[in-house]
């Protein structure tokens, strides 16, 4: 049997794309290995969302040159967003790369390793209709694509260029795959899309949620990432009424300044965003809301930055991912005036993160002494004697050792202590 080593960078979409590539390669007789030295095929599934992610990949890629010298039969593939953006250019930088496979062509990784052709970066309108097999890494929670690509062209973002136009999977294909996952024992599914709530298959997104909610065996449904402009009453009602849809939404705000939001081409104002948050909190009182923030967008003034800081105070997110603005090739923002020095971006990012740490901690503290439903996922990485899982609101809970707790169980857990990034609790009764 041939051996493949996959190294994945970047978002959940990429992690799941790697699971699909592994599924495709399994059919060609490949099995995954954990060490690149043992592999016949090395795949880098790359990310180009920020420059840092790109640098990380190139420093890893350099090391494979030596592996290839030791083993001339070794094949090297570069997949993902950098592959799409640079295409054949990657081979100019690194001639030892055999295959370049863009995100729309992950299904062709089998053709790549069988054939002689090396560059797979064409637009692929069929991706949403091709039911690619997946070899999933975990056994309790599964990711599943429902739509691909992005039409939004936020001015800072490479995704529309690397993943192409929005294409939704037919509902029936999704439902069949979810039924299969339920039969395999998966308890939680996360619907994936760059702009998941703009799903426009043969049914609406709320209707899709409702049909998945009816599938026996699946206990929890999540979805990422939602765009505020596509968040309507239908989705809010679905979150309120469907028992399996979890009380969490990741809803990137990016900035609290209307001027910056306009430059980002986000298509909403801060007050529109706030009214969506209000609608969500009225319908689903315990909902956890998380977000993404970009610090130091071109021309961002100290006042724009202050608007972001006060937005964080006003909304009180459960958690955020915040990033320094990073100019990306092909994007409009990269050519905008007023690019800020790294020190300014760093300073603003630090302030944002420090403030949010306090907010996150306070929101977690409010859960002390409450009882939460936790889906047990496995042993805790940092404290192997404990099991770990997540609340419906997606907060990590480490569970004090107790006889029969095993992955896949849904338990009532009393929260004893709140840390900044996790909760600690004990079992009060099985579900
Ligand atoms: N610079 C910094 N952050 C970015 N993001 C996307 N593009 C950039 C960029 N050029 C962030 C956004 C997005 C998240 C996935 O990554 O906040 O929501
Ligand atoms: Fe990028 Fe905006 Fe599309 Fe998200 S919605 S992938 S930030 S262009």
């Amino acid at each position: 049997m041939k051996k493949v080593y996959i190294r994945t960078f970047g978002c959940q979409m990429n992690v799941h794309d790697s699971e699909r590539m592994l599924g495709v390669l399994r059919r060609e007789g490949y099995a995954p290995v954990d060490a690149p030295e043992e592999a016949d095929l090395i795949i880098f599934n790359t990310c180009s969302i920020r420059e840092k992610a790109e640098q990380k990949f190139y420093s890893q890629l350099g090391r494979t040159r030596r592996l290839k010298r030791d083993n001339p039969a070794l094949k090297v593939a570069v997949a993902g967003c950098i592959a799409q953006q640079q295409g054949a250019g990657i081979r100019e930088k690194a001639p030892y790369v055999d295959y370049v496979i863009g995100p729309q062509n992950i299904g062709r990784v089998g053709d790549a390793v069988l054939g002689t052709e090396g560059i797979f970066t064409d637009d692929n309108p069929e991706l949403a209709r091709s039911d690619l097999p997946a070899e999933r890494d975990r056994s309790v929670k599964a990711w599943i694509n429902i739509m691909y690509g992005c039409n939004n062209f936020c001015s800072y973002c490479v995704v529309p260029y690397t993943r192409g136009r929005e294409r939704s999977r037919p509902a029936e294909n999704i439902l069949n795959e979810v039924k299969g996952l339920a039969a395999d024992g998966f308890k939680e599914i996360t619907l994936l899309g760059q702009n998941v709530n703009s799903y426009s298959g043969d049914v609406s997104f709320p209707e899709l949620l409702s049909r998945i909610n009816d599938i026996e065996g699946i206990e929890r449904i999540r979805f990422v990432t939602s765009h505020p402009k596509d968040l309507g009453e239908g989705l809010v009602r679905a979150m309120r009424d469907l028992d399996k849809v979890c009380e969490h939404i990741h809803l990137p705000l990016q900035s609290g300044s209307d001027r910056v939001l306009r430059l980002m081409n986000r298509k909403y104002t801060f007050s529109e965003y706030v009214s969506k948050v209000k609608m969500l909190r009225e319908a689903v009182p315990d909902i956890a809301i998380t977000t993404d923030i970009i610090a130091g967008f071109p021309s961002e003034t100290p006042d724009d930055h202050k608007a972001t800081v006060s937005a964080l105070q006003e909304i009180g997110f459960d958690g955020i991912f915040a990033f320094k603005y990073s100019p990306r090739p092909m994007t409009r923002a990269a050519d905008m005036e007023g690019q800020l020095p790294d020190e300014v971006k760093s300073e603003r990012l630090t302030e944002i993160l420090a403030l949010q740490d306090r907010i996150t901690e306070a929101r977690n503290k409010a859960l002390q002494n409450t009882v939460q439903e936790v889906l047990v996922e496995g042993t805790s990485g940092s404290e192997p004697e404990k099991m770990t899982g997540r609340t419906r609101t997606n907060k990590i809970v480490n569970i004090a050792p107790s006889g029969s707790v095993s992955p896949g169980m849904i338990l009532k857990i009393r929260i004893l202590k709140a840390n900044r990034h996790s909760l600690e609790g004990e079992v009060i009764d099985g579900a």
Side-chain angles (χ1 to χ4, degrees):
M1 189 170 278
K2 293 208 163 190
K3 295 176 184 144
V4 54
Y5 170 82
I6 304 194
R7 171 75 200 269
T8 306
F9 301 83
C11 64
Q12 293 172 341
M13 189 71 72
N14 256 18
V15 177
H16 187 48
D17 283 352
S18 290
E19 294 178 333
R20 300 258 179 210
M21 285 193 279
L22 212 50
V24 172
L25 287 168
R26 184 61 90 172
R27 288 181 175 169
E28 309 300 339
Y30 280 83
V33 289
D34 293 328
E37 295 78 15
E38 291 169 22
D40 303 293
L41 169 66
I42 294 179
I43 302 179
F44 292 99
N45 195 5
T46 62
C47 170
S48 59
I49 194 98
R50 284 170 292 275
E51 199 181 348
K52 235 195 197 158
E54 207 166 309
Q55 287 163 349
K56 249 202 226 156
F57 154 66
Y58 277 112
S59 74
Q60 292 290 318
L61 179 66
R63 295 187 199 167
T64 59
R65 186 206 300 258
R66 180 181 49 79
L67 290 174
K68 201 145 175 172
R69 211 182 298 133
D70 297 345
N71 173 13
L74 173 69
K75 297 287 184 193
V76 177
V78 176
C81 289
I82 298 179
Q84 186 63 37
Q85 261 196 320
Q86 309 207 342
I90 291 186
R91 278 177 160 176
E92 280 156 31
K93 276 191 209 158
Y96 48 93
V97 168
D98 298 282
Y99 316 115
V100 178
I101 304 168
Q104 299 184 54
N105 290 288
I106 52 173
R108 299 193 63 195
V109 64
D111 302 346
V113 298
L114 293 176
T116 48
E117 197 191 336
I119 311 281
F120 299 84
T121 50
D122 292 345
D123 189 46
N124 175 15
E126 287 309 308
L127 179 62
R129 260 185 291 278
S130 53
D131 283 317
L132 297 176
E135 183 159 317
R136 291 181 166 84
D137 198 28
R138 306 172 302 172
S139 57
V140 175
K141 310 199 291 186
W143 284 314
I144 172 170
N145 312 100
I146 68 161
M147 56 90 66
Y148 297 89
C150 183
N151 291 348
N152 291 326
F153 291 92
C154 298
S155 62
Y156 49 80
C157 187
V158 286
V159 168
Y161 306 95
T162 62
R163 289 189 178 268
R165 294 294 68 70
E166 286 180 11
R167 284 157 188 148
S168 294
R169 280 182 83 184
E172 196 183 317
N173 303 31
I174 299 168
L175 295 170
N176 284 338
E177 189 170 354
V178 175
K179 284 176 198 156
L181 292 169
D184 288 341
F186 287 96
K187 299 287 182 244
E188 178 178 305
I189 58 156
T190 301
L191 309 178
L192 288 180
Q194 229 69 47
N195 201 356
V196 71
N197 59 328
S198 79
Y199 174 81
S200 61
D202 31 352
V203 303
S204 69
F205 183 56
E207 175 61 22
L208 181 69
L209 288 172
S210 158
R211 294 199 191 173
I212 296 173
N213 198 71
D214 290 337
I215 295 175
E216 213 174 308
I218 297 299
E219 306 288 350
R220 289 180 166 189
I221 304 167
R222 304 185 184 280
F223 51 91
V224 280
T225 289
S226 300
H227 195 299
K229 80 175 165 50
D230 298 314
L231 178 84
E233 281 172 18
L235 177 54
V236 174
R237 267 199 303 273
M239 293 190 79
R240 181 192 65 193
D241 297 339
L242 300 172
D243 59 323
K244 295 177 184 173
V245 175
C246 289
E247 294 76 29
H248 171 229
I249 191 165
H250 186 66
L251 196 64
L253 169 65
Q254 312 296 6
S255 169
S257 153
D258 285 342
R259 193 185 70 83
V260 172
L261 287 172
R262 206 164 42 246
L263 287 173
M264 288 177 165
N265 191 30
R266 287 294 287 176
K267 307 179 180 95
Y268 54 82
T269 62
F270 177 61
S271 77
E272 282 163 350
Y273 184 94
V274 168
S275 64
K276 307 242 165 161
V277 166
K278 217 169 137 220
M279 183 163 74
L280 283 162
R281 285 181 168 159
E282 273 165 14
V284 188
D286 293 331
I287 194 168
I289 305 178
T290 54
T291 206
D292 292 341
I293 297 288
I294 296 177
F297 188 80
S299 85
E300 185 186 74
T301 63
D303 279 344
D304 292 323
H305 168 64
K306 266 188 215 144
T308 299
V309 168
S310 57
L312 295 178
Q313 280 159 335
E314 178 178 340
I315 293 173
F317 290 106
D318 290 84
I320 67 170
F321 296 105
F323 315 96
K324 278 193 270 188
Y325 168 71
S326 168
R328 305 313 294 139
M330 297 198 277
T331 61
R332 273 198 291 128
D335 296 327
M336 283 181 187
E337 287 181 9
Q339 303 283 331
L340 295 173
D342 193 59
E343 303 84 73
V344 174
K345 294 191 252 188
S346 292
E347 206 175 285
R348 292 180 185 173
L349 177 66
T350 303
E351 186 183 348
I352 286 166
L353 291 173
L355 165 64
Q356 184 58 41
D357 271 350
R358 296 196 294 277
I359 297 171
T360 302
E361 198 168 353
R363 290 191 70 85
N364 285 350
K365 285 254 179 325
L367 295 176
Q368 280 178 178
N369 297 319
T370 64
V371 172
Q372 299 288 322
E373 186 203 285
V374 173
L375 171 60
V376 181
E377 292 171 22
T379 49
S380 154
S382 50
E383 301 165 283
E385 75 285 2
K386 292 186 179 172
M387 299 299 277
T388 187
R390 285 183 188 252
T391 63
R392 290 176 59 95
T393 52
N394 210 33
K395 294 179 194 262
I396 296 170
V397 182
N398 293 318
I399 306 165
S402 142
S404 58
V405 178
S406 63
M409 285 180 155
I410 293 179
L411 301 171
K412 295 259 189 296
I413 301 288
R414 184 180 311 285
I415 304 303
L416 303 172
K417 186 165 175 257
N419 307 315
R420 192 171 294 160
H421 297 293
S422 66
L423 305 169
E424 293 172 37
E426 64 182 9
V427 181
I428 57 170
D429 110 55

